[in-house]
Amino acid sequence: AQSVTQLGSHVSVSEGALVLLRCNYSSSVPPYLFWYVQYPNQGLQLLLKYTSAATLVKGINGFEAEFKKSETSFHLTKPSAHMSDAAEYFCAVTISGNTGKLIFGQGTTLQVKP
Amino acid sequence: GAVVSQHPSWVICKSGTSVKIECRSLDFQATTMFWYRQFPKQSLMLMATSNEGSKATYEQGVEKDKFLINHASLTLSTLTVTSAHPEDSSFYICSATDALRTPGNIQYFGAGTRLSVL
Protein backbone atom coordinates (compact mmCIF):
# COMPACT_ATOMS: atom_id res chain seq x y z
CA ALA A 1 0.00 0.00 0.00
CA GLN A 2 1.10 3.54 -0.65
CA SER A 3 1.29 6.31 1.88
CA VAL A 4 2.57 9.86 2.11
CA THR A 5 3.90 11.78 5.08
CA GLN A 6 4.39 15.51 5.02
CA LEU A 7 6.71 16.66 7.76
CA GLY A 8 5.52 19.87 9.30
CA SER A 9 1.90 20.91 9.15
CA HIS A 10 2.91 24.56 9.17
CA VAL A 11 5.95 26.23 7.62
CA SER A 12 6.69 29.93 7.92
CA VAL A 13 9.29 31.74 5.83
CA SER A 14 10.16 35.33 5.09
CA GLU A 15 9.54 36.77 1.66
CA GLY A 16 12.58 36.05 -0.49
CA ALA A 17 13.71 33.12 1.62
CA LEU A 18 14.05 29.50 0.52
CA VAL A 19 10.92 27.39 0.68
CA LEU A 20 11.32 23.73 1.62
CA LEU A 21 8.29 21.52 2.11
CA ARG A 22 9.03 17.93 3.00
CA CYS A 23 7.33 14.84 1.67
CA ASN A 24 8.22 11.20 2.22
CA TYR A 25 6.42 8.36 0.56
CA SER A 26 6.01 4.65 0.98
CA SER A 27 5.36 2.44 -2.00
CA SER A 28 6.23 -1.14 -2.86
CA VAL A 29 6.27 -0.34 -6.57
CA PRO A 30 7.63 2.66 -8.50
CA PRO A 31 5.35 5.55 -7.64
CA TYR A 32 4.02 8.59 -9.40
CA LEU A 33 4.34 11.61 -7.14
CA PHE A 34 2.60 14.96 -7.23
CA TRP A 35 2.56 18.29 -5.48
CA TYR A 36 -0.67 20.24 -5.47
CA VAL A 37 -1.40 23.71 -4.10
CA GLN A 38 -4.72 24.81 -2.66
CA TYR A 39 -5.74 28.40 -2.06
CA PRO A 40 -8.58 29.13 0.38
CA ASN A 41 -11.97 27.87 -0.73
CA GLN A 42 -10.57 26.54 -3.98
CA GLY A 43 -9.76 23.21 -5.51
CA LEU A 44 -6.27 21.86 -6.04
CA GLN A 45 -3.87 23.05 -8.70
CA LEU A 46 -1.11 20.79 -9.94
CA LEU A 47 2.34 22.24 -9.25
CA LEU A 48 4.44 19.42 -10.61
CA LYS A 49 4.62 15.69 -11.09
CA TYR A 50 7.17 12.89 -11.13
CA THR A 51 6.33 10.03 -13.45
CA SER A 52 9.60 8.09 -13.67
CA ALA A 53 11.41 10.43 -16.03
CA ALA A 54 13.92 13.00 -14.75
CA THR A 55 14.34 12.92 -11.00
CA LEU A 56 14.51 16.71 -10.74
CA VAL A 57 11.13 18.02 -11.71
CA LYS A 58 10.38 21.65 -12.44
CA GLY A 59 6.87 22.95 -11.98
CA ILE A 60 4.92 26.13 -12.18
CA ASN A 61 5.55 29.32 -10.21
CA GLY A 62 9.24 28.53 -9.76
CA PHE A 63 8.76 25.38 -7.71
CA GLU A 64 10.74 22.22 -8.19
CA ALA A 65 11.05 18.86 -6.48
CA GLU A 66 13.60 16.10 -6.52
CA PHE A 67 12.71 12.42 -6.41
CA LYS A 68 15.20 10.56 -4.20
CA LYS A 69 14.50 6.87 -4.20
CA SER A 70 17.14 6.09 -1.59
CA GLU A 71 15.50 8.50 0.82
CA THR A 72 11.91 7.85 -0.37
CA SER A 73 11.51 11.60 -0.52
CA PHE A 74 10.01 14.15 -2.88
CA HIS A 75 10.62 17.49 -1.20
CA LEU A 76 9.28 20.68 -2.75
CA THR A 77 11.51 23.73 -2.99
CA LYS A 78 11.48 27.27 -4.26
CA PRO A 79 14.56 29.49 -4.06
CA SER A 80 12.74 32.68 -3.17
CA ALA A 81 9.32 32.84 -1.53
CA HIS A 82 6.71 35.30 -2.70
CA MET A 83 3.73 36.50 -0.72
CA SER A 84 1.45 34.86 -3.27
CA ASP A 85 2.94 31.46 -2.39
CA ALA A 86 1.04 31.42 0.89
CA ALA A 87 -1.32 28.47 0.60
CA GLU A 88 -1.86 24.84 1.53
CA TYR A 89 0.39 22.32 -0.18
CA PHE A 90 -0.35 18.65 -0.63
CA CYS A 91 1.98 15.86 -1.65
CA ALA A 92 0.30 12.84 -3.23
CA VAL A 93 1.27 9.43 -4.55
CA THR A 94 -0.27 6.96 -6.93
CA ILE A 95 1.02 4.00 -8.87
CA SER A 96 0.98 3.17 -12.52
CA GLY A 97 -1.82 1.02 -13.81
CA ASN A 98 -4.17 1.41 -10.90
CA THR A 99 -7.44 3.29 -10.90
CA GLY A 100 -5.55 6.54 -10.57
CA LYS A 101 -6.49 6.85 -6.93
CA LEU A 102 -4.36 9.46 -5.20
CA ILE A 103 -3.13 9.11 -1.66
CA PHE A 104 -2.65 12.55 -0.13
CA GLY A 105 -0.41 13.70 2.63
CA GLN A 106 -1.80 15.69 5.51
CA GLY A 107 -0.93 19.00 3.92
CA THR A 108 1.45 21.79 4.85
CA THR A 109 0.38 25.36 5.34
CA LEU A 110 2.95 27.78 4.00
CA GLN A 111 2.99 31.21 5.57
CA VAL A 112 5.08 33.93 3.95
CA LYS A 113 5.99 36.88 6.12
CA PRO A 114 6.80 40.28 4.62
CA GLY B 1 -6.41 22.73 -21.28
CA ALA B 2 -7.60 20.20 -18.67
CA VAL B 3 -10.23 22.37 -17.03
CA VAL B 4 -12.71 20.93 -14.57
CA SER B 5 -15.77 22.95 -13.67
CA GLN B 6 -17.68 22.30 -10.47
CA HIS B 7 -21.08 23.78 -9.70
CA PRO B 8 -22.36 25.22 -7.47
CA SER B 9 -19.44 26.72 -5.58
CA TRP B 10 -21.55 27.29 -2.47
CA VAL B 11 -24.88 25.87 -1.43
CA ILE B 12 -26.95 26.26 1.70
CA CYS B 13 -29.84 23.90 2.28
CA LYS B 14 -32.25 22.84 4.96
CA SER B 15 -31.81 19.61 6.84
CA GLY B 16 -33.58 16.75 5.10
CA THR B 17 -33.29 18.11 1.59
CA SER B 18 -31.10 16.75 -1.20
CA VAL B 19 -28.35 18.63 -2.95
CA LYS B 20 -26.79 17.87 -6.32
CA ILE B 21 -23.25 18.91 -7.21
CA GLU B 22 -22.03 18.79 -10.81
CA CYS B 23 -18.53 18.17 -12.04
CA ARG B 24 -17.70 18.73 -15.69
CA SER B 25 -14.54 18.27 -17.69
CA LEU B 26 -14.63 21.13 -20.18
CA ASP B 27 -11.92 20.29 -22.67
CA PHE B 28 -11.21 16.61 -22.29
CA GLN B 29 -13.01 13.35 -21.82
CA ALA B 30 -12.84 12.16 -18.26
CA THR B 31 -12.67 8.40 -18.17
CA THR B 32 -12.56 8.54 -14.40
CA MET B 33 -13.83 11.08 -11.90
CA PHE B 34 -13.20 11.24 -8.20
CA TRP B 35 -15.15 12.80 -5.37
CA TYR B 36 -13.43 14.04 -2.24
CA ARG B 37 -14.53 15.53 1.01
CA GLN B 38 -12.38 17.97 2.91
CA PHE B 39 -12.86 19.12 6.48
CA PRO B 40 -11.36 22.43 7.65
CA LYS B 41 -7.60 22.36 7.94
CA GLN B 42 -7.48 18.74 6.86
CA SER B 43 -6.45 16.76 3.84
CA LEU B 44 -8.73 15.41 1.16
CA MET B 45 -10.63 12.24 1.89
CA LEU B 46 -11.54 10.18 -1.15
CA MET B 47 -15.22 9.30 -1.11
CA ALA B 48 -15.63 7.43 -4.37
CA THR B 49 -14.24 6.72 -7.81
CA SER B 50 -16.55 6.76 -10.79
CA ASN B 51 -15.98 5.51 -14.29
CA GLU B 52 -18.21 6.56 -17.13
CA GLY B 53 -21.12 4.21 -17.60
CA SER B 54 -20.50 2.06 -14.55
CA LYS B 55 -21.32 2.14 -10.87
CA ALA B 56 -19.13 4.18 -8.59
CA THR B 57 -16.69 2.49 -6.26
CA TYR B 58 -17.07 3.85 -2.75
CA GLU B 59 -14.38 4.00 -0.13
CA GLN B 60 -14.86 2.18 3.11
CA GLY B 61 -17.15 4.02 5.47
CA VAL B 62 -18.85 6.13 2.79
CA GLU B 63 -22.58 5.52 2.57
CA LYS B 64 -23.47 4.90 -1.06
CA ASP B 65 -27.15 5.52 -0.45
CA LYS B 66 -26.38 8.87 1.10
CA PHE B 67 -23.89 10.05 -1.49
CA LEU B 68 -25.27 9.11 -4.88
CA ILE B 69 -22.81 9.37 -7.73
CA ASN B 70 -23.71 9.31 -11.38
CA HIS B 71 -21.20 9.41 -14.24
CA ALA B 72 -23.49 9.28 -17.23
CA SER B 73 -21.15 10.79 -19.78
CA LEU B 74 -17.45 11.30 -20.36
CA THR B 75 -17.72 14.94 -19.32
CA LEU B 76 -20.16 14.94 -16.43
CA SER B 77 -20.38 13.37 -13.01
CA THR B 78 -22.81 14.33 -10.29
CA LEU B 79 -22.79 13.86 -6.54
CA THR B 80 -26.14 14.00 -4.78
CA VAL B 81 -26.17 14.32 -1.03
CA THR B 82 -29.50 12.83 -0.06
CA SER B 83 -31.43 13.88 3.03
CA ALA B 84 -28.64 16.17 4.06
CA HIS B 85 -27.93 16.79 7.73
CA PRO B 86 -25.68 19.33 9.44
CA GLU B 87 -22.91 16.74 9.79
CA ASP B 88 -22.77 16.56 5.99
CA SER B 89 -21.64 20.18 5.88
CA SER B 90 -18.23 20.17 4.29
CA PHE B 91 -16.15 21.12 1.27
CA TYR B 92 -16.66 18.68 -1.58
CA ILE B 93 -14.15 18.54 -4.42
CA CYS B 94 -14.23 16.59 -7.63
CA SER B 95 -11.40 15.68 -9.93
CA ALA B 96 -11.14 14.11 -13.34
CA THR B 97 -8.55 12.18 -15.24
CA ASP B 98 -8.16 10.80 -18.71
CA ALA B 99 -5.82 7.85 -18.61
CA LEU B 100 -5.21 8.03 -22.34
CA ARG B 101 -4.45 11.73 -22.45
CA THR B 102 -2.64 12.13 -19.19
CA PRO B 103 -0.25 9.28 -18.49
CA GLY B 104 0.80 9.32 -14.90
CA ASN B 105 -2.78 9.49 -13.68
CA ILE B 106 -2.80 13.24 -13.32
CA GLN B 107 -6.00 14.43 -11.73
CA TYR B 108 -7.43 17.83 -12.54
CA PHE B 109 -9.53 19.35 -9.80
CA GLY B 110 -12.67 21.40 -9.70
CA ALA B 111 -12.84 24.50 -7.51
CA GLY B 112 -14.92 22.74 -4.89
CA THR B 113 -18.40 23.13 -3.43
CA ARG B 114 -18.99 24.32 0.08
CA LEU B 115 -22.12 22.72 1.47
CA SER B 116 -23.77 24.16 4.54
CA VAL B 117 -26.75 22.27 5.95
CA LEU B 118 -28.91 24.21 8.38
Side-chain angles (χ1 to χ4, degrees):
Chain A
Q2 295 75 43
S3 67
V4 174
T5 302
Q6 290 182 239
L7 299 175
S9 60
H10 190 99
V11 171
S12 181
V13 301
S14 298
E15 189 174 20
L18 171 72
V19 175
L20 171 61
L21 304 182
R22 300 178 185 274
C23 173
N24 287 89
Y25 70 91
S26 173
S27 178
S28 57
V29 297
Y32 290 168
L33 292 158
F34 306 84
W35 275 100
Y36 284 89
V37 61
Q38 184 181 32
Y39 297 99
N41 293 310
Q42 293 188 30
L44 276 65
Q45 180 182 9
L46 180 66
L47 277 178
L48 48 79
K49 63 186 185 294
Y50 167 76
T51 56
S52 74
T55 57
L56 181 61
V57 180
K58 294 187 183 298
I60 62 172
N61 301 339
F63 284 95
E64 64 180 38
E66 186 172 8
F67 173 70
K68 292 187 176 180
K69 184 178 179 180
S70 61
E71 299 177 7
T72 61
S73 69
F74 190 58
H75 301 332
L76 181 70
T77 60
K78 181 174 181 177
S80 177
H82 192 273
M83 296 297 291
S84 60
D85 294 327
E88 188 78 13
Y89 291 80
F90 292 98
C91 182
V93 64
T94 187
I95 60 172
S96 172
N98 78 343
T99 60
K101 186 188 300 187
L102 282 174
I103 308 298
F104 283 93
Q106 305 91 317
T108 298
T109 302
L110 175 64
Q111 180 187 24
V112 182
K113 298 176 290 185
Chain B
V3 177
V4 175
S5 173
Q6 190 172 339
H7 179 80
S9 58
W10 196 300
V11 58
I12 301 173
C13 70
K14 292 183 178 179
S15 185
T17 61
S18 295
V19 174
K20 180 184 285 188
I21 302 170
E22 291 188 349
C23 181
R24 294 179 183 273
S25 57
L26 298 185
D27 53 358
F28 68 102
Q29 293 185 324
T31 52
T32 305
M33 286 186 168
F34 302 85
W35 287 96
Y36 296 86
R37 185 172 180 175
Q38 186 180 30
F39 292 101
K41 305 295 184 183
Q42 293 189 29
S43 189
L44 280 71
M45 181 191 77
L46 179 65
M47 299 174 67
T49 303
S50 78
N51 293 294
E52 185 266 339
S54 60
K55 290 184 178 180
T57 301
Y58 289 81
E59 295 298 302
Q60 190 173 9
V62 177
E63 300 175 60
K64 61 179 66 176
D65 294 331
K66 176 123 185 104
F67 299 101
L68 300 179
I69 292 172
N70 183 276
H71 193 165
S73 76
L74 281 171
T75 59
L76 174 64
S77 176
T78 60
L79 167 67
T80 301
V81 183
T82 63
S83 186
H85 291 282
E87 57 265 31
D88 298 324
S89 298
S90 191
F91 194 56
Y92 294 88
I93 308 176
C94 72
S95 71
T97 187
D98 176 0
L100 296 178
R101 182 177 181 273
T102 57
N105 299 336
I106 297 172
Q107 291 185 26
Y108 297 95
F109 286 79
T113 297
R114 183 158 303 284
L115 171 63
S116 297
V117 184
L118 304 178

